[in-house]
Amino acid sequence: MVNGTGIYRTMGAGGKPSIAFVTDRSISFQIYERLYRDRKYLPSFDDLPWSGGEPKAEIAAEG
């Protein structure tokens, strides 16, 4: 596991991957879902809340 904590995730659109927003001490950044999972940030990507609430069912089905 690396330093940093996942805060929320954003659903990718138009074929782009989903993104997680991470804070690490005094910095914050966005990272693609695959890298978030590979680097084993906590909480797990699946446990992060969605930005703006749960995605609509039809959007979630595309991801």
Side-chain angles (χ1 to χ4, degrees), residues 6-7 9 20 36-37 40-49:
I7 304 299
R9 57 186 167 161
Y36 186 92
R37 292 179 187 276
K40 298 180 173 41
Y41 285 104
L42 293 177
S44 72
F45 190 84
D46 295 327
D47 290 337
L48 290 174

Side-chain angles (χ1 to χ4, degrees), residues 13-60:
K16 295 182 181 178
S18 296
I19 293 173
F21 183 79
V22 177
T23 60
D24 184 359
R25 292 177 247 171
S26 62
I27 64 168
S28 57
F29 54 93
Q30 294 180 333
I31 186 170
Y32 290 122
E33 175 183 358
R34 182 183 55 79
L35 292 173
Y36 186 92
R37 292 179 187 276
D38 288 349
R39 295 178 184 174
K40 298 180 173 41
Y41 285 104
L42 293 177
S44 72
F45 190 84
D46 295 327
D47 290 337
L48 290 174
W50 289 103
S51 173
E54 291 295 316
K56 295 181 181 177
E58 62 272 12
I59 295 172

